[in-house]
């Protein structure tokens, strides 16, 4: 049975699958990334995991994988196939596409940025199915996005497209590791809400999920923290939709797990801010933690559909 290898590499764990031509997940597996052992060990873990997946596919499906796709965090040059930088994994300028292709006996490999790859899956087969233009925004430890046009995701000229978390929404505000002040992710990420709620409660272990539950129960401090985050998020999203004019706005990541506790006030806040802009549909992501794997599989299948391409974009 024809299939591809899909790998989604995170800071602590790797999710993988063998994906059939119809998008079916034929086999799933997980492993620890092992970042505590250093960047070289992480690369070897990825290569070894891919090789084990290839062996499993050959044994159980009667033929080797036709291609592989891998999604990684950090700064990614997906055209050159290089994982340029990842603070979490400690690597710089890793030629991961070539290393994987060599380990997999020369099969073609696509490399993509984790959020853009997850956004590709959401846009093509998830919450954005049927939308010609979408914006996917992941609200996690930070905030990042994926700009979808006609079934593909735009990487930008230098691989930085979609970094909505670094739109400045509060000029002169909280310092951001990127070097700016007042970036969106300092106010509306899951980490930012957790920090604000921990400060409000005096409990350093308090997190965004607890804040969301307290909002539902009517806690005034939680309502204030939540409203500040929603207002900042709406400001950033309106800037993005003014520039991009998406038909569908897909919100995923840990903060989106709050469901309508987030989406109801967010839709209201965005609508209150638009003037001439067309209001997109604002919907939750549909694929959960399988989005990265499914997106990596799509990248691999796209390689096979366009075998003459020398550049790969997520």
């Amino acid at each position: 049975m024809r299939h591809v290898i899909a790998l989604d590499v995170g800071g602590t764990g790797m999710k993988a699958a063998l994906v059939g031509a119809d998008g079916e997940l034929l086999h799933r597996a997980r492993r620890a990334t092992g970042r505590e052992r250093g960047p070289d060990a992480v690369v070897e873990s990825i290569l070894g995991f891919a090789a084990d997946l290839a062996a499993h596919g050959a044994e159980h499906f009667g033929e080797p994988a036709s291609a592989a796709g891998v999604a990684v965090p950090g700064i990614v040059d997906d055209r050159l196939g290089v994982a340029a930088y990842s603070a979490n994994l400690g690597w710089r300028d890793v030629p991961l596409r070539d290393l994987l292709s060599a380990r997999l006996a020369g099969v073609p490999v696509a490399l993509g940025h984790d959020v853009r790859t997850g956004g590709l899956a959401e846009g093509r087969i998830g919450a954005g199915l049927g939308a010609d233009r979408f914006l996917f925004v992941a609200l996690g430890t930070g905030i990042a996005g994926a700009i979808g046009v006609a079934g593909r995701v735009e990487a930008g000229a230098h691989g930085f497209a979609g970094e909505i978390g670094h739109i400045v929404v509060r000029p002169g505000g909280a310092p951001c590791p990127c070097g700016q002040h007042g970036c969106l992710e300092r106010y509306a990420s899951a980490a930012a809400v957790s920090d604000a709620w921990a400060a409000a409660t005096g409990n350093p272990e308090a997190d965004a999920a607890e804040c969301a539950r307290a909002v539902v129960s009517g806690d005034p401090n939680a309502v204030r923290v939540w409203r500040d985050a929603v207002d900042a998020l709406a400001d950033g999203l309106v800037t993005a939709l003014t520039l991009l004019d998406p038909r569908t706005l897909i919100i995923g990541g840990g903060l989106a797990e709050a469901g309508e506790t987030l989406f109801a006030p967010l839709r209201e806040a965005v609508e209150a801010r638009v003037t001439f802009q067309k209001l997109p549909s604002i919907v939750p992501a549909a694929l959960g933690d399988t989005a990265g794997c499914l997106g990596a599989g799509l990248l691999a299948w796209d390689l096979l559909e366009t075998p003459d391409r020398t550049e790969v974009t997520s």
Side-chain angles (χ1 to χ4, degrees):
M1 179 186 297
R2 201 168 187 228
H3 63 279
V4 299
I5 295 168
L7 266 168
D8 178 19
V9 179
T12 58
M14 298 183 284
K15 296 181 284 288
L18 299 178
V19 185
D22 58 357
E24 182 184 0
L25 298 178
L26 304 171
H27 169 71
R28 300 192 205 190
R30 292 178 182 249
R31 282 188 189 174
T33 304
R35 62 179 177 175
E36 70 280 356
R37 295 183 290 119
D40 291 341
V42 170
V43 172
E44 184 55 40
S45 292
I46 294 168
L47 299 180
F49 198 8
D52 289 347
L53 290 162
H56 181 94
E59 179 182 351
H60 289 84
F61 303 116
E63 61 181 282
S66 299
V70 58
V72 297
I75 299 171
V76 179
D77 187 333
D78 41 16
R79 292 181 177 86
L80 294 179
V82 173
Y85 174 73
S86 172
N88 285 338
L89 298 179
W91 60 31
R92 287 183 179 271
D93 299 324
V94 178
L96 196 54
R97 186 175 68 194
D98 289 347
L99 291 172
L100 271 168
S101 185
R103 182 66 65 94
L104 298 174
V107 303
V109 174
L111 180 69
H113 179 273
D114 56 352
V115 173
R116 290 199 296 266
T117 301
L120 175 69
E122 284 288 353
R124 198 183 291 183
I125 61 176
L129 180 64
D132 55 346
R133 285 173 169 78
F134 68 88
L135 175 63
F136 170 70
V137 178
L139 308 175
T141 303
I143 298 178
I147 302 163
V149 180
R152 305 199 73 83
V153 169
E154 174 58 48
H158 306 96
F160 296 122
E163 290 293 344
I164 184 175
H166 297 289
I167 289 176
V168 173
V169 294
R170 300 291 181 264
C176 180
C178 79
Q180 300 186 115
H181 287 74
C183 288
L184 175 60
E185 68 176 41
R186 304 303 295 162
Y187 297 91
S189 63
V193 174
S194 293
D195 289 345
W197 182 232
T201 60
N203 176 11
E205 302 301 318
D207 63 15
E210 292 174 18
C211 184
R213 290 191 292 270
V215 169
V216 173
S217 69
D219 183 300
N221 280 329
V223 170
R224 173 183 55 79
V225 167
W226 200 256
R227 172 52 64 183
D228 288 347
V230 168
D231 283 345
L233 182 56
D235 288 341
L237 291 177
V238 169
T239 297
L241 68 89
T242 301
L243 291 171
L244 301 173
D245 188 27
R247 198 172 307 278
T248 303
L249 178 55
I250 306 165
I251 309 293
L255 208 61
E257 293 176 6
E260 285 304 300
T261 302
L262 174 67
F263 283 92
L266 180 61
R267 292 185 184 106
E268 181 180 323
V270 171
E271 186 172 5
R273 286 163 170 74
V274 299
T275 54
F276 66 90
Q277 305 95 330
K278 293 294 185 182
L279 192 67
S281 299
I282 301 176
V283 299
L287 301 176
D289 70 354
T290 65
C293 248
L294 289 167
L298 290 172
L299 290 181
W301 282 114
D302 285 353
L303 275 182
L304 299 174
E305 292 173 6
T306 53
D308 58 328
R309 290 183 59 180
T310 58
E311 295 184 348
V312 178
T313 62
S314 60

